[in-house]
Amino acid sequence: MQELPILLEQYERLQWYFTPYTNTATLVLREEVPMTTPLAPAATTDDEGGCWSNQPEAHSDCTDVSYKALTDSLAGYEARTLYTEMEMFIPVEDTEAAVRDFIAYMETVRDEHNPLVELFTGVRYVQEDTILLSPMHHRNSSVISFIVLGNQNHTGSPKEFERYASGLEQICEDKYGGRPHWGKVNYATRDYLAAEYGSSWDTFQRVRQRMDPQHMFTNDYLDARL
């Protein structure tokens, strides 16, 4: 956390993660290298080399082509673990304060946590855009992710997820103008979203009504928010 301002100036692509209630954290830095740079780890008879072969140890470097670095390997895909996730987008300058607030909240519900349920928190960064209802609309954003590993049948997962995710959302809404990821779990209300997006919300609603006057392209989730 103390080094983040310097790291963000030094690296164009950076994200980091931590495991709640532990001192375990991971920092991922991405740098461009010439296309002639050999993949590392080197290829073997079992794989094609690069970051997703022989998973490198913590703090080590690896070199891969961009499409592999972004999508993982076939083996990694087949070994994937289902999870439930929410993401809140806040102004990038509020990152440290918001994360510290979320950690403090976690401590208040620590006694309710089922240790069999695996928790995960991550932070990534996204540049502003001009899309009407984009979470990055007109502001550079940091994205705080909260994940409960395992599917909804995992012991305690739905209850555990809601406890932490609702807490994160409340913090981000109350103090930092947080915007939810539209495609992930959230508890946002129409009133909050309308106030947060302001004139772009009104513009979107007019376009929506003109393009879909019968509201055929909707569902319960969108009805509650739009």
PDB file of all heavy atoms in Angstrom, residues 131-134 137-139 177 179 182 190-206:
ATOM      1  N   ILE A 131     -18.636   6.268 -22.130  1.00  0.00           N
ATOM      2  CA  ILE A 131     -19.826   5.441 -22.308  1.00  0.00           C
ATOM      3  C   ILE A 131     -20.844   5.801 -21.213  1.00  0.00           C
ATOM      4  O   ILE A 131     -20.490   5.917 -20.041  1.00  0.00           O
ATOM      5  CB  ILE A 131     -19.455   3.952 -22.248  1.00  0.00           C
ATOM      6  CG1 ILE A 131     -18.451   3.630 -23.358  1.00  0.00           C
ATOM      7  CG2 ILE A 131     -20.691   3.075 -22.375  1.00  0.00           C
ATOM      8  CD1 ILE A 131     -17.826   2.256 -23.233  1.00  0.00           C
ATOM      9  N   LEU A 132     -22.101   5.971 -21.587  1.00  0.00           N
ATOM     10  CA  LEU A 132     -23.091   6.575 -20.703  1.00  0.00           C
ATOM     11  C   LEU A 132     -23.165   5.943 -19.316  1.00  0.00           C
ATOM     12  O   LEU A 132     -23.095   6.633 -18.305  1.00  0.00           O
ATOM     13  CB  LEU A 132     -24.473   6.542 -21.362  1.00  0.00           C
ATOM     14  CG  LEU A 132     -24.682   7.517 -22.521  1.00  0.00           C
ATOM     15  CD1 LEU A 132     -26.055   7.303 -23.155  1.00  0.00           C
ATOM     16  CD2 LEU A 132     -24.529   8.965 -22.053  1.00  0.00           C
ATOM     17  N   LEU A 133     -23.342   4.632 -19.247  1.00  0.00           N
ATOM     18  CA  LEU A 133     -23.477   3.976 -17.948  1.00  0.00           C
ATOM     19  C   LEU A 133     -22.268   3.112 -17.618  1.00  0.00           C
ATOM     20  O   LEU A 133     -22.373   2.151 -16.857  1.00  0.00           O
ATOM     21  CB  LEU A 133     -24.765   3.138 -17.890  1.00  0.00           C
ATOM     22  CG  LEU A 133     -26.077   3.917 -17.986  1.00  0.00           C
ATOM     23  CD1 LEU A 133     -27.250   3.014 -17.635  1.00  0.00           C
ATOM     24  CD2 LEU A 133     -26.066   5.154 -17.104  1.00  0.00           C
ATOM     25  N   SER A 134     -21.122   3.456 -18.158  1.00  0.00           N
ATOM     26  CA  SER A 134     -19.897   2.745 -17.813  1.00  0.00           C
ATOM     27  C   SER A 134     -19.502   3.064 -16.374  1.00  0.00           C
ATOM     28  O   SER A 134     -19.597   4.220 -15.941  1.00  0.00           O
ATOM     29  CB  SER A 134     -18.761   3.165 -18.747  1.00  0.00           C
ATOM     30  OG  SER A 134     -17.515   2.751 -18.227  1.00  0.00           O
ATOM     31  N   HIS A 137     -17.199   5.987 -16.307  1.00  0.00           N
ATOM     32  CA  HIS A 137     -17.671   7.181 -17.007  1.00  0.00           C
ATOM     33  C   HIS A 137     -17.017   8.444 -16.440  1.00  0.00           C
ATOM     34  O   HIS A 137     -17.230   8.831 -15.294  1.00  0.00           O
ATOM     35  CB  HIS A 137     -19.188   7.281 -16.874  1.00  0.00           C
ATOM     36  CG  HIS A 137     -19.800   8.427 -17.623  1.00  0.00           C
ATOM     37  ND1 HIS A 137     -19.936   8.444 -18.990  1.00  0.00           N
ATOM     38  CD2 HIS A 137     -20.302   9.607 -17.190  1.00  0.00           C
ATOM     39  CE1 HIS A 137     -20.509   9.577 -19.374  1.00  0.00           C
ATOM     40  NE2 HIS A 137     -20.735  10.301 -18.293  1.00  0.00           N
ATOM     41  N   HIS A 138     -16.169   9.072 -17.262  1.00  0.00           N
ATOM     42  CA  HIS A 138     -15.536  10.355 -16.944  1.00  0.00           C
ATOM     43  C   HIS A 138     -14.660  10.323 -15.698  1.00  0.00           C
ATOM     44  O   HIS A 138     -14.460  11.374 -15.059  1.00  0.00           O
ATOM     45  CB  HIS A 138     -16.583  11.453 -16.822  1.00  0.00           C
ATOM     46  CG  HIS A 138     -17.128  11.887 -18.155  1.00  0.00           C
ATOM     47  ND1 HIS A 138     -18.176  12.767 -18.275  1.00  0.00           N
ATOM     48  CD2 HIS A 138     -16.788  11.540 -19.424  1.00  0.00           C
ATOM     49  CE1 HIS A 138     -18.454  12.957 -19.557  1.00  0.00           C
ATOM     50  NE2 HIS A 138     -17.619  12.206 -20.278  1.00  0.00           N
ATOM     51  N   ARG A 139     -14.116   9.158 -15.327  1.00  0.00           N
ATOM     52  CA  ARG A 139     -13.149   9.176 -14.230  1.00  0.00           C
ATOM     53  C   ARG A 139     -12.255   7.934 -14.291  1.00  0.00           C
ATOM     54  O   ARG A 139     -12.724   6.821 -14.533  1.00  0.00           O
ATOM     55  CB  ARG A 139     -13.836   9.265 -12.871  1.00  0.00           C
ATOM     56  CG  ARG A 139     -14.558   8.023 -12.415  1.00  0.00           C
ATOM     57  CD  ARG A 139     -15.296   8.268 -11.105  1.00  0.00           C
ATOM     58  NE  ARG A 139     -15.834   7.040 -10.543  1.00  0.00           N
ATOM     59  CZ  ARG A 139     -16.745   6.984  -9.579  1.00  0.00           C
ATOM     60  NH1 ARG A 139     -17.216   8.101  -9.059  1.00  0.00           N
ATOM     61  NH2 ARG A 139     -17.171   5.825  -9.102  1.00  0.00           N
ATOM     62  N   GLY A 177     -18.644   7.341  -3.945  1.00  0.00           N
ATOM     63  CA  GLY A 177     -19.375   7.373  -5.207  1.00  0.00           C
ATOM     64  C   GLY A 177     -19.187   6.106  -6.016  1.00  0.00           C
ATOM     65  O   GLY A 177     -19.105   6.150  -7.245  1.00  0.00           O
ATOM     66  N   ARG A 179     -19.445   2.694  -8.114  1.00  0.00           N
ATOM     67  CA  ARG A 179     -20.336   2.195  -9.156  1.00  0.00           C
ATOM     68  C   ARG A 179     -20.107   0.688  -9.301  1.00  0.00           C
ATOM     69  O   ARG A 179     -18.971   0.235  -9.394  1.00  0.00           O
ATOM     70  CB  ARG A 179     -20.042   2.887 -10.487  1.00  0.00           C
ATOM     71  CG  ARG A 179     -20.248   4.396 -10.454  1.00  0.00           C
ATOM     72  CD  ARG A 179     -19.632   5.058 -11.664  1.00  0.00           C
ATOM     73  NE  ARG A 179     -19.843   6.504 -11.675  1.00  0.00           N
ATOM     74  CZ  ARG A 179     -19.189   7.338 -12.472  1.00  0.00           C
ATOM     75  NH1 ARG A 179     -18.272   6.860 -13.331  1.00  0.00           N
ATOM     76  NH2 ARG A 179     -19.420   8.635 -12.422  1.00  0.00           N
ATOM     77  N   TRP A 182     -21.723  -3.976 -13.811  1.00  0.00           N
ATOM     78  CA  TRP A 182     -23.076  -4.361 -14.209  1.00  0.00           C
ATOM     79  C   TRP A 182     -23.226  -5.874 -14.385  1.00  0.00           C
ATOM     80  O   TRP A 182     -24.333  -6.409 -14.233  1.00  0.00           O
ATOM     81  CB  TRP A 182     -23.450  -3.671 -15.525  1.00  0.00           C
ATOM     82  CG  TRP A 182     -23.730  -2.219 -15.381  1.00  0.00           C
ATOM     83  CD1 TRP A 182     -22.841  -1.186 -15.533  1.00  0.00           C
ATOM     84  CD2 TRP A 182     -24.980  -1.612 -15.029  1.00  0.00           C
ATOM     85  NE1 TRP A 182     -23.466   0.015 -15.305  1.00  0.00           N
ATOM     86  CE2 TRP A 182     -24.780  -0.209 -15.008  1.00  0.00           C
ATOM     87  CE3 TRP A 182     -26.250  -2.117 -14.757  1.00  0.00           C
ATOM     88  CZ2 TRP A 182     -25.803   0.686 -14.710  1.00  0.00           C
ATOM     89  CZ3 TRP A 182     -27.269  -1.219 -14.465  1.00  0.00           C
ATOM     90  CH2 TRP A 182     -27.046   0.158 -14.437  1.00  0.00           C
ATOM     91  N   ARG A 190     -32.144   1.662  -8.139  1.00  0.00           N
ATOM     92  CA  ARG A 190     -32.358   2.630  -9.204  1.00  0.00           C
ATOM     93  C   ARG A 190     -32.089   4.051  -8.716  1.00  0.00           C
ATOM     94  O   ARG A 190     -31.458   4.851  -9.423  1.00  0.00           O
ATOM     95  CB  ARG A 190     -33.795   2.513  -9.719  1.00  0.00           C
ATOM     96  CG  ARG A 190     -34.088   3.444 -10.892  1.00  0.00           C
ATOM     97  CD  ARG A 190     -35.573   3.470 -11.229  1.00  0.00           C
ATOM     98  NE  ARG A 190     -35.827   4.193 -12.462  1.00  0.00           N
ATOM     99  CZ  ARG A 190     -35.842   5.522 -12.574  1.00  0.00           C
ATOM    100  NH1 ARG A 190     -35.591   6.267 -11.499  1.00  0.00           N
ATOM    101  NH2 ARG A 190     -36.077   6.102 -13.737  1.00  0.00           N
ATOM    102  N   ASP A 191     -32.554   4.393  -7.531  1.00  0.00           N
ATOM    103  CA  ASP A 191     -32.375   5.753  -7.017  1.00  0.00           C
ATOM    104  C   ASP A 191     -30.898   6.104  -6.873  1.00  0.00           C
ATOM    105  O   ASP A 191     -30.478   7.214  -7.223  1.00  0.00           O
ATOM    106  CB  ASP A 191     -33.080   5.911  -5.672  1.00  0.00           C
ATOM    107  CG  ASP A 191     -34.597   5.914  -5.811  1.00  0.00           C
ATOM    108  OD1 ASP A 191     -35.093   6.089  -6.949  1.00  0.00           O
ATOM    109  OD2 ASP A 191     -35.277   5.726  -4.779  1.00  0.00           O
ATOM    110  N   TYR A 192     -30.128   5.155  -6.347  1.00  0.00           N
ATOM    111  CA  TYR A 192     -28.694   5.435  -6.179  1.00  0.00           C
ATOM    112  C   TYR A 192     -28.007   5.608  -7.530  1.00  0.00           C
ATOM    113  O   TYR A 192     -27.245   6.550  -7.736  1.00  0.00           O
ATOM    114  CB  TYR A 192     -28.001   4.314  -5.391  1.00  0.00           C
ATOM    115  CG  TYR A 192     -26.499   4.531  -5.327  1.00  0.00           C
ATOM    116  CD1 TYR A 192     -25.956   5.398  -4.391  1.00  0.00           C
ATOM    117  CD2 TYR A 192     -25.641   3.918  -6.241  1.00  0.00           C
ATOM    118  CE1 TYR A 192     -24.591   5.653  -4.351  1.00  0.00           C
ATOM    119  CE2 TYR A 192     -24.283   4.164  -6.212  1.00  0.00           C
ATOM    120  CZ  TYR A 192     -23.760   5.023  -5.267  1.00  0.00           C
ATOM    121  OH  TYR A 192     -22.404   5.275  -5.240  1.00  0.00           O
ATOM    122  N   LEU A 193     -28.261   4.688  -8.453  1.00  0.00           N
ATOM    123  CA  LEU A 193     -27.609   4.752  -9.756  1.00  0.00           C
ATOM    124  C   LEU A 193     -27.995   6.011 -10.514  1.00  0.00           C
ATOM    125  O   LEU A 193     -27.152   6.650 -11.159  1.00  0.00           O
ATOM    126  CB  LEU A 193     -27.962   3.507 -10.570  1.00  0.00           C
ATOM    127  CG  LEU A 193     -27.396   2.189 -10.040  1.00  0.00           C
ATOM    128  CD1 LEU A 193     -28.045   1.008 -10.752  1.00  0.00           C
ATOM    129  CD2 LEU A 193     -25.889   2.147 -10.189  1.00  0.00           C
ATOM    130  N   ALA A 194     -29.273   6.399 -10.448  1.00  0.00           N
ATOM    131  CA  ALA A 194     -29.715   7.604 -11.139  1.00  0.00           C
ATOM    132  C   ALA A 194     -28.992   8.830 -10.599  1.00  0.00           C
ATOM    133  O   ALA A 194     -28.561   9.709 -11.360  1.00  0.00           O
ATOM    134  CB  ALA A 194     -31.223   7.767 -10.988  1.00  0.00           C
ATOM    135  N   ALA A 195     -28.832   8.900  -9.289  1.00  0.00           N
ATOM    136  CA  ALA A 195     -28.133  10.037  -8.692  1.00  0.00           C
ATOM    137  C   ALA A 195     -26.652  10.023  -9.032  1.00  0.00           C
ATOM    138  O   ALA A 195     -26.053  11.074  -9.291  1.00  0.00           O
ATOM    139  CB  ALA A 195     -28.334  10.027  -7.176  1.00  0.00           C
ATOM    140  N   GLU A 196     -26.043   8.846  -9.051  1.00  0.00           N
ATOM    141  CA  GLU A 196     -24.607   8.735  -9.314  1.00  0.00           C
ATOM    142  C   GLU A 196     -24.268   9.088 -10.752  1.00  0.00           C
ATOM    143  O   GLU A 196     -23.277   9.759 -11.018  1.00  0.00           O
ATOM    144  CB  GLU A 196     -24.136   7.313  -8.978  1.00  0.00           C
ATOM    145  CG  GLU A 196     -22.694   7.016  -9.338  1.00  0.00           C
ATOM    146  CD  GLU A 196     -21.706   7.958  -8.670  1.00  0.00           C
ATOM    147  OE1 GLU A 196     -21.944   8.374  -7.518  1.00  0.00           O
ATOM    148  OE2 GLU A 196     -20.690   8.284  -9.318  1.00  0.00           O
ATOM    149  N   TYR A 197     -25.079   8.642 -11.710  1.00  0.00           N
ATOM    150  CA  TYR A 197     -24.767   8.879 -13.116  1.00  0.00           C
ATOM    151  C   TYR A 197     -25.304  10.210 -13.642  1.00  0.00           C
ATOM    152  O   TYR A 197     -24.875  10.673 -14.703  1.00  0.00           O
ATOM    153  CB  TYR A 197     -25.288   7.720 -13.972  1.00  0.00           C
ATOM    154  CG  TYR A 197     -24.410   6.499 -13.909  1.00  0.00           C
ATOM    155  CD1 TYR A 197     -24.743   5.420 -13.100  1.00  0.00           C
ATOM    156  CD2 TYR A 197     -23.243   6.423 -14.654  1.00  0.00           C
ATOM    157  CE1 TYR A 197     -23.931   4.291 -13.035  1.00  0.00           C
ATOM    158  CE2 TYR A 197     -22.422   5.303 -14.609  1.00  0.00           C
ATOM    159  CZ  TYR A 197     -22.767   4.239 -13.793  1.00  0.00           C
ATOM    160  OH  TYR A 197     -21.959   3.126 -13.733  1.00  0.00           O
ATOM    161  N   GLY A 198     -26.247  10.813 -12.943  1.00  0.00           N
ATOM    162  CA  GLY A 198     -26.701  12.152 -13.294  1.00  0.00           C
ATOM    163  C   GLY A 198     -27.260  12.259 -14.699  1.00  0.00           C
ATOM    164  O   GLY A 198     -28.116  11.475 -15.114  1.00  0.00           O
ATOM    165  N   SER A 199     -26.764  13.232 -15.468  1.00  0.00           N
ATOM    166  CA  SER A 199     -27.320  13.512 -16.793  1.00  0.00           C
ATOM    167  C   SER A 199     -27.121  12.354 -17.759  1.00  0.00           C
ATOM    168  O   SER A 199     -27.946  12.138 -18.656  1.00  0.00           O
ATOM    169  CB  SER A 199     -26.686  14.777 -17.371  1.00  0.00           C
ATOM    170  OG  SER A 199     -25.287  14.634 -17.515  1.00  0.00           O
ATOM    171  N   SER A 200     -26.034  11.577 -17.593  1.00  0.00           N
ATOM    172  CA  SER A 200     -25.830  10.443 -18.496  1.00  0.00           C
ATOM    173  C   SER A 200     -26.884   9.367 -18.268  1.00  0.00           C
ATOM    174  O   SER A 200     -27.259   8.641 -19.189  1.00  0.00           O
ATOM    175  CB  SER A 200     -24.422   9.850 -18.328  1.00  0.00           C
ATOM    176  OG  SER A 200     -24.251   9.281 -17.046  1.00  0.00           O
ATOM    177  N   TRP A 201     -27.390   9.274 -17.026  1.00  0.00           N
ATOM    178  CA  TRP A 201     -28.488   8.350 -16.734  1.00  0.00           C
ATOM    179  C   TRP A 201     -29.745   8.748 -17.503  1.00  0.00           C
ATOM    180  O   TRP A 201     -30.400   7.916 -18.135  1.00  0.00           O
ATOM    181  CB  TRP A 201     -28.755   8.342 -15.234  1.00  0.00           C
ATOM    182  CG  TRP A 201     -29.902   7.476 -14.811  1.00  0.00           C
ATOM    183  CD1 TRP A 201     -31.211   7.828 -14.715  1.00  0.00           C
ATOM    184  CD2 TRP A 201     -29.827   6.101 -14.427  1.00  0.00           C
ATOM    185  NE1 TRP A 201     -31.964   6.761 -14.290  1.00  0.00           N
ATOM    186  CE2 TRP A 201     -31.143   5.697 -14.100  1.00  0.00           C
ATOM    187  CE3 TRP A 201     -28.792   5.186 -14.308  1.00  0.00           C
ATOM    188  CZ2 TRP A 201     -31.440   4.415 -13.671  1.00  0.00           C
ATOM    189  CZ3 TRP A 201     -29.087   3.900 -13.875  1.00  0.00           C
ATOM    190  CH2 TRP A 201     -30.386   3.525 -13.570  1.00  0.00           C
ATOM    191  N   ASP A 202     -30.059  10.034 -17.457  1.00  0.00           N
ATOM    192  CA  ASP A 202     -31.248  10.523 -18.148  1.00  0.00           C
ATOM    193  C   ASP A 202     -31.134  10.307 -19.655  1.00  0.00           C
ATOM    194  O   ASP A 202     -32.105   9.912 -20.318  1.00  0.00           O
ATOM    195  CB  ASP A 202     -31.448  12.006 -17.850  1.00  0.00           C
ATOM    196  CG  ASP A 202     -31.681  12.263 -16.365  1.00  0.00           C
ATOM    197  OD1 ASP A 202     -32.217  11.355 -15.689  1.00  0.00           O
ATOM    198  OD2 ASP A 202     -31.325  13.350 -15.891  1.00  0.00           O
ATOM    199  N   THR A 203     -29.944  10.555 -20.199  1.00  0.00           N
ATOM    200  CA  THR A 203     -29.729  10.347 -21.633  1.00  0.00           C
ATOM    201  C   THR A 203     -29.907   8.882 -21.991  1.00  0.00           C
ATOM    202  O   THR A 203     -30.574   8.544 -22.984  1.00  0.00           O
ATOM    203  CB  THR A 203     -28.316  10.810 -22.042  1.00  0.00           C
ATOM    204  OG1 THR A 203     -28.175  12.201 -21.727  1.00  0.00           O
ATOM    205  CG2 THR A 203     -28.085  10.600 -23.528  1.00  0.00           C
ATOM    206  N   PHE A 204     -29.336   8.008 -21.183  1.00  0.00           N
ATOM    207  CA  PHE A 204     -29.472   6.575 -21.441  1.00  0.00           C
ATOM    208  C   PHE A 204     -30.936   6.150 -21.427  1.00  0.00           C
ATOM    209  O   PHE A 204     -31.388   5.381 -22.288  1.00  0.00           O
ATOM    210  CB  PHE A 204     -28.688   5.758 -20.411  1.00  0.00           C
ATOM    211  CG  PHE A 204     -28.846   4.272 -20.574  1.00  0.00           C
ATOM    212  CD1 PHE A 204     -28.037   3.557 -21.440  1.00  0.00           C
ATOM    213  CD2 PHE A 204     -29.844   3.588 -19.878  1.00  0.00           C
ATOM    214  CE1 PHE A 204     -28.210   2.194 -21.604  1.00  0.00           C
ATOM    215  CE2 PHE A 204     -30.011   2.215 -20.046  1.00  0.00           C
ATOM    216  CZ  PHE A 204     -29.187   1.522 -20.910  1.00  0.00           C
ATOM    217  N   GLN A 205     -31.693   6.626 -20.467  1.00  0.00           N
ATOM    218  CA  GLN A 205     -33.096   6.234 -20.363  1.00  0.00           C
ATOM    219  C   GLN A 205     -33.898   6.684 -21.581  1.00  0.00           C
ATOM    220  O   GLN A 205     -34.789   5.973 -22.057  1.00  0.00           O
ATOM    221  CB  GLN A 205     -33.704   6.791 -19.074  1.00  0.00           C
ATOM    222  CG  GLN A 205     -33.144   6.169 -17.794  1.00  0.00           C
ATOM    223  CD  GLN A 205     -33.624   4.741 -17.558  1.00  0.00           C
ATOM    224  OE1 GLN A 205     -33.910   4.003 -18.485  1.00  0.00           O
ATOM    225  NE2 GLN A 205     -33.697   4.335 -16.300  1.00  0.00           N
ATOM    226  N   ARG A 206     -33.590   7.874 -22.099  1.00  0.00           N
ATOM    227  CA  ARG A 206     -34.288   8.342 -23.295  1.00  0.00           C
ATOM    228  C   ARG A 206     -33.945   7.478 -24.505  1.00  0.00           C
ATOM    229  O   ARG A 206     -34.832   7.105 -25.288  1.00  0.00           O
ATOM    230  CB  ARG A 206     -33.926   9.807 -23.577  1.00  0.00           C
ATOM    231  CG  ARG A 206     -34.523  10.785 -22.579  1.00  0.00           C
ATOM    232  CD  ARG A 206     -34.432  12.214 -23.102  1.00  0.00           C
ATOM    233  NE  ARG A 206     -33.049  12.637 -23.283  1.00  0.00           N
ATOM    234  CZ  ARG A 206     -32.323  13.232 -22.331  1.00  0.00           C
ATOM    235  NH1 ARG A 206     -32.847  13.448 -21.134  1.00  0.00           N
ATOM    236  NH2 ARG A 206     -31.088  13.617 -22.590  1.00  0.00           N
TER     237      ARG A 206
END
